[in-house]
Amino acid sequence: MDHPKRSRRRLAIAIVLVFAVVSVFVGKLVDIQIVRADELDKQSYDKRAIAVTTYAPRGSITDSNGTVLADSVTRYDITASPRNINTDRAATTVQGFADKIAAISKQDPSVVFTALTQHPDADYSLVSSAVTTAQMRAIVKLDLPGIYYVSHPVRTYPDGSVAGNLVGFVGTDGPQAGIENMYNSCLASTDGTTSYEQGADGVQIPGSSVTKKAAVAGGTIKLTIDADLQWFAQQAIAEQGTAIGAQSATAVILEVKTGKILADADWPSVDPNDVSATPAANRQALSFSAQYEPGSVFKGMSAAMLIDTGIGSPTMEATVPWSWKTPEGGRVNDAGEHAVERLTLTGVLQQSSNVGISMMGIKVPEKTRYDYMKAFGLGQKSAVNFQGEASGSIQPLPWDDQTKYNVLYGQGVSATALQVAGIYQTLGNNGVRLPLTLVDSCTKPDGTVTDTPSTSGTQVIASSTAKTVVNMLESVVDSGELASVTKIPGYRVAGKSGTAEVASHGVYTNDRIVSFVGLAPATDPQYEVLVTYTKPTTMKTSAAAAPTFKKIMTQVLTKYRVPPSTTPSTYPATTW
Amino acid sequence: MSSLPAYLPARAPREAQPTRHVEPNRHIEPNRHIEIVATRVQRRRRPRIVYAIVAVVGLFVILMAQLLLSIALSDGAYQISSLQSQQKNLARDKQTLTESLNVLQSPQNLAAQATTLGMVMNNSGSGWLRLSDGSVLKSPTAAGTSSATDPNGQALVTNVLLTPAVTAQQDARMSTPAAGNPATATAGSGNADVASGSIPAPNTH
């Protein structure tokens, strides 16, 4: 009160100062809360929020019983942040780190040591890749500061090379072969993303999880294959293939009434777990990709043409020398020299006489034969449309003077093993050719089923013709040259052998492709087995393939509990 | 508090009178007859202490409840977090076990193990009866010494997943008869004796 003026000035200054300070704060507040609010909000969210890629597994491939042939499992990459490796807490040296990790991941300790120390200031270094869950847990248990792990899915094939030729494999760049590649759209999964906010201790803040995109698992492909049967067939052809020194072999087992491929064995076959161990040529399904001149197994089809057109009959007669000069001046020979024989068409099949089938089959016009061959599925890919499948080839009309005889016994024409199997499926199924199926269905995780194959067949020959031909083919197994190695006690079996010459550079060589195909039970065929060996060295006749046929067919009949035939084999007369 | 204003006028004479205030009431007694007495209505309108207490306690309770709720919620977050990690671990366990089971049940392994145990594959031995007339369609035949296949002969149908470690894991779990059984002694080694026909005698208990 003594100095009112001074006092008032002081007050004024104080007020001005207070206002100045307050306005600075207000200005800053407005700037933070309103002007830059969005930007700052985002920055802070980004610090708290963790975006995570969520993985869904690639779909599995199973056999017809659900046995897993291909599956996705999780593997872990062990990574390090060399900057953060703290040896104090772990009370050991970096070398000690490396030794411990290497012992678990079965690596060279020096490699691990290099990974940990090469770039001491780096934040990331890959220590070991694709370790198993057990190894990852053991490494985590070591509790080494600065060591982390990243999970990622990998493909595994529990049955190894069983059906490896069909299943295919997935490489680092994605699916590369077989079903894995063909049905990738069904099997592939879609990665999702999710984000959540975390506190300082890394615990998720409740209610903060936001799924931006859900991960979608891949669908399951179910094959028509039976894994056990597939293994048996692979084992059987591998054993015999090794014994006769063959280059490769295939075995096909079909369910005649449905066209389902129950087994499709190739030897050698790839183990999808270790693709590099198999030469590139053997990484595919030979039964689909390899086309060859099938040889005498074609005679069954030629006989069917003769009977179906009404030109021939099971007892059609011919006088058959072992070597015959054709009217055009060419020559047709049988496999071995024999006396002149009076064979019926049935006898021609039983003896597998090239001369006999040429003499008779030539009576069917070329155009008709060509159309029949097309109708039997030759010269076109099967309904499976397998990766790398060959379509085989029929020479275009008109045929030259030799080809028109050769095609009757399966030379001068090429087919895949599956095409040959298709011919006998048609004969066994009352003349109705069904589309062959390898993939039964694709089932998506939500239960929708897609990729179910077509089952509509086409009538190629009359039902009666088919039955007659199958009956005639019983003569081969019952009393033909290979009867002793093909007859299955208790069952009536129809079959046909093939010993085809392999052409190279336009001439037939000494190499052979031997095969045997058969149907059982012959009275009402249920199953078909085709066995083929390419270029055997120690045994170059179909006698090499016949025992494997018998072994596999016996297994099939036992496995599927086919009742024995109640009557012995009877068939039309073979001679006259 | 409500009676405080009534005393104030009475304090003035106390200053003038140096007597000890042991008995002040006697001197102010004559003034009391002009005291303003609150009416019943006024008294009823006065704020009561109970309301204040209720309000304060209520506030406290709400704050406590909020605190507890928040503790419970964050505790739930920790529980969820721990359960999620437990679930992840169990899922990994399941996957690991499924993976090894799938490998162990592969045909190669089953066949090799069966052969090692001295079994042979007899794929044509089954018999057939017809129930309608009791006839025997096919007589069963006993297994011979040779197997339809020889899975232990050579690794023809390979499976690189069947490592010795995997099969050893399986052998350890099988309750194998202790000593004296030649078949178990050569587990996984592709014993030629077994395949060629010397079936070891079963170690019957």
Side-chain angles (χ1 to χ4, degrees):
Chain A
M1 289 297 226
D2 301 340
H3 309 287
K5 266 190 183 170
R6 239 172 80 184
S7 175
R8 210 171 290 156
R9 209 167 52 224
R10 268 199 202 154
L11 193 66
I13 291 170
I15 289 171
V16 165
L17 274 176
V18 166
F19 267 93
V21 169
V22 167
S23 62
V24 165
F25 280 129
V26 167
K28 192 69 187 168
L29 194 65
V30 168
D31 182 44
I32 290 174
Q33 289 286 3
I34 297 167
V35 180
R36 288 161 57 200
D38 285 350
E39 188 197 334
L40 291 173
D41 246 12
K42 196 181 167 307
Q43 273 182 21
S44 100
Y45 180 78
D46 286 351
K47 272 187 190 155
R48 278 174 295 145
I50 308 289
V52 190
T53 305
T54 50
Y55 296 103
R58 181 178 170 84
S60 53
I61 301 175
T62 71
D63 81 342
S64 56
N65 305 311
T67 303
V68 176
L69 298 173
D71 203 5
S72 286
V73 291
T74 311
R75 288 288 181 272
Y76 306 85
D77 287 346
I78 302 299
T79 66
S81 168
R83 220 154 56 101
N84 293 329
I85 289 178
N86 181 355
T87 48
D88 303 339
R89 209 183 93 199
T92 178
T93 59
V94 175
Q95 184 62 56
F97 264 44
D99 290 345
K100 283 179 182 173
I101 295 173
I104 295 167
S105 64
K106 298 194 175 69
Q107 279 172 292
D108 183 354
S110 66
V111 172
V112 176
F113 185 73
T114 309
L116 295 179
T117 56
Q118 202 170 23
H119 303 290
D121 294 329
D123 229 352
Y124 174 85
S125 170
L126 180 65
V127 178
S128 45
S129 56
V131 301
T132 63
T133 307
Q135 289 172 322
M136 179 276 286
R137 280 174 170 166
I139 290 172
V140 167
K141 216 175 168 185
L142 294 175
D143 195 23
L144 306 175
I147 303 289
Y148 311 101
Y149 66 89
V150 186
S151 71
H152 61 93
V154 298
R155 212 68 173 143
T156 182
Y157 303 89
D159 283 3
S161 53
V162 172
N165 55 334
L166 304 172
V167 168
F169 45 89
V170 176
T172 44
D173 302 331
Q176 305 211 314
I179 298 293
E180 290 272 31
N181 193 21
M182 292 158 61
Y183 286 85
N184 189 42
S185 58
C186 169
L187 293 164
S189 61
T190 320
D191 291 345
T193 50
T194 184
S195 69
Y196 62 87
E197 293 171 39
Q198 67 174 14
D201 54 0
V203 170
Q204 184 179 347
I205 295 172
S208 66
S209 169
V210 182
T211 302
K212 288 174 178 160
K213 207 176 103 201
V216 184
T220 301
I221 287 281
K222 187 170 145 189
L223 301 180
T224 57
I225 296 292
D226 182 289
D228 290 344
L229 201 57
Q230 175 81 17
W231 169 79
F232 185 87
Q234 284 187 231
Q235 180 73 27
I237 58 171
E239 283 177 11
Q240 178 74 349
T242 310
I244 62 172
Q247 192 182 70
S248 64
T250 65
V252 179
I253 305 173
L254 291 185
E255 193 173 59
V256 171
K257 306 282 188 202
T258 59
K260 283 183 181 171
I261 301 170
L262 300 177
D264 182 4
D266 290 317
W267 173 80
S269 181
V270 62
D271 184 342
N273 295 302
D274 186 14
V275 175
S276 56
T278 311
N282 293 328
R283 290 179 196 168
Q284 52 190 339
L286 295 170
S287 43
F288 284 101
S289 63
Q291 45 187 352
Y292 61 99
E293 296 187 36
S296 301
V297 290
F298 258 38
K299 285 174 189 159
M301 181 175 65
S302 301
M305 293 176 193
L306 273 164
I307 295 168
D308 204 48
T309 51
I311 294 169
S313 74
T315 50
M316 184 182 189
E317 295 165 357
T319 307
V320 183
W322 81 272
S323 179
W324 177 57
K325 193 171 182 235
T326 64
E328 292 81 1
R331 188 156 283 279
V332 175
N333 296 326
D334 278 348
E337 282 187 45
H338 61 77
V340 174
E341 284 172 327
R342 302 204 302 174
L343 298 175
T344 63
L345 183 54
T346 307
V348 166
L349 290 180
Q350 188 195 38
Q351 307 290 323
S352 194
S353 168
N354 297 340
V355 174
I357 201 72
S358 298
M359 289 170 142
M360 296 177 184
I362 198 68
K363 290 174 182 163
V364 183
E366 286 171 30
K367 177 79 175 74
T368 312
R369 286 196 272 148
Y370 184 89
D371 291 343
Y372 267 118
M373 286 163 78
K374 279 276 183 199
F376 269 106
L378 297 169
Q380 59 200 297
K381 288 181 185 180
S382 75
V384 176
N385 196 17
F386 201 80
Q387 183 183 9
E389 181 171 346
S391 52
S393 66
I394 315 172
Q395 288 194 28
L397 292 171
W399 289 328
D400 66 50
D401 288 343
Q402 193 63 42
T403 302
K404 62 182 168 187
Y405 292 101
N406 285 355
V407 292
L408 288 164
Y409 49 90
Q411 301 274 179
V413 57
S414 71
T416 64
L418 264 299
Q419 284 174 336
V420 174
I423 294 172
Y424 281 81
Q425 181 276 323
T426 310
L427 292 175
N429 190 33
N430 298 326
V432 178
R433 183 166 76 90
L434 293 172
L436 300 183
T437 56
L438 179 61
V439 173
D440 187 70
S441 62
C442 160
T443 310
K444 286 286 185 186
D446 61 7
T448 51
V449 178
T450 55
D451 291 304
T452 45
S454 155
T455 50
S456 61
T458 46
Q459 190 82 43
V460 177
I461 50 172
S463 172
S464 59
T465 309
K467 283 191 172 114
T468 307
V469 174
V470 171
N471 182 235
M472 289 158 69
L473 289 172
E474 280 189 65
S475 64
V476 177
V477 175
D478 189 64
S479 56
E481 199 189 332
L482 298 172
S484 61
V485 285
T486 51
K487 232 176 180 172
I488 299 173
Y491 293 93
R492 292 176 66 167
V493 179
K496 186 70 198 81
S497 60
T499 309
E501 298 184 349
V502 178
S504 176
H505 305 296
V507 280
Y508 285 111
T509 62
N510 204 19
D511 285 328
R512 298 283 184 273
I513 291 180
V514 300
S515 54
F516 199 95
V517 58
L519 297 158
T523 40
D524 181 22
Q526 302 293 326
Y527 299 99
E528 177 193 340
V529 173
L530 165 67
V531 178
T532 307
Y533 292 101
T534 302
K535 300 185 183 175
T537 48
T538 59
M539 195 185 215
K540 295 191 171 192
T541 66
S542 50
T548 317
F549 162 80
K550 179 185 173 182
K551 189 183 267 189
I552 295 176
M553 185 57 101
T554 306
Q555 175 67 11
V556 170
L557 294 172
T558 306
K559 180 180 172 67
Y560 291 103
R561 294 168 196 267
V562 178
S565 307
T566 47
T567 52
S569 280
T570 54
Y571 40 86
T574 55
T575 53
W576 54 280
Chain B
M1 231 163 109
S2 59
S3 61
L4 191 61
Y7 285 97
L8 280 175
R11 282 197 178 154
R14 222 171 26 173
E15 276 179 327
Q17 207 167 6
T19 52
R20 291 172 65 193
H21 62 280
V22 181
E23 291 163 334
N25 285 349
R26 269 184 207 161
H27 299 279
I28 59 169
E29 197 75 6
N31 294 338
R32 286 208 65 155
H33 69 280
I34 57 161
E35 189 186 352
I36 300 167
V37 177
T39 63
R40 199 170 286 251
V41 176
Q42 274 177 323
R43 206 176 283 164
R44 204 179 298 145
R45 280 182 183 166
R46 265 182 211 146
R48 282 195 199 156
I49 190 152
V50 61
Y51 292 142
I53 290 167
V54 165
V56 169
V57 169
L59 207 64
F60 186 72
V61 166
I62 288 170
L63 284 174
M64 284 308 288
Q66 205 173 19
L67 189 67
L68 289 175
L69 194 68
S70 132
I71 289 172
L73 208 61
S74 66
D75 192 46
Y78 280 96
Q79 205 181 342
I80 288 172
S81 175
S82 114
L83 287 175
Q84 276 174 342
S85 83
Q86 198 184 342
Q87 185 192 31
K88 199 185 270 178
N89 269 321
L90 290 174
R92 281 181 188 153
D93 283 345
K94 187 192 166 193
Q95 197 187 62
T96 310
L97 293 173
T98 309
E99 194 185 332
S100 67
L101 176 66
N102 279 341
V103 174
L104 291 178
Q105 71 181 11
S106 68
Q108 294 100 321
N109 183 46
L110 296 182
Q113 294 294 326
T115 310
T116 308
L117 290 173
M119 296 170 83
V120 292
M121 194 166 189
N122 178 25
N123 65 358
S124 57
S126 52
W128 277 89
L129 303 177
R130 188 163 57 205
L131 293 180
S132 58
D133 59 356
S135 62
V136 178
L137 297 182
K138 186 167 174 284
S139 313
T141 49
T145 51
S146 67
S147 181
T149 63
D150 179 14
N152 271 2
Q154 277 171 290
L156 293 170
V157 183
T158 54
N159 188 353
V160 295
L161 297 181
L162 277 176
T163 55
V166 172
T167 41
Q169 182 189 5
Q170 162 189 249
D171 292 339
R173 285 177 195 175
M174 280 198 307
S175 55
T176 44
N181 192 336
T184 55
T186 56
S189 63
N191 190 356
D193 286 353
V194 175
S196 65
S198 61
I199 303 171
N203 197 355
T204 315
H205 293 280

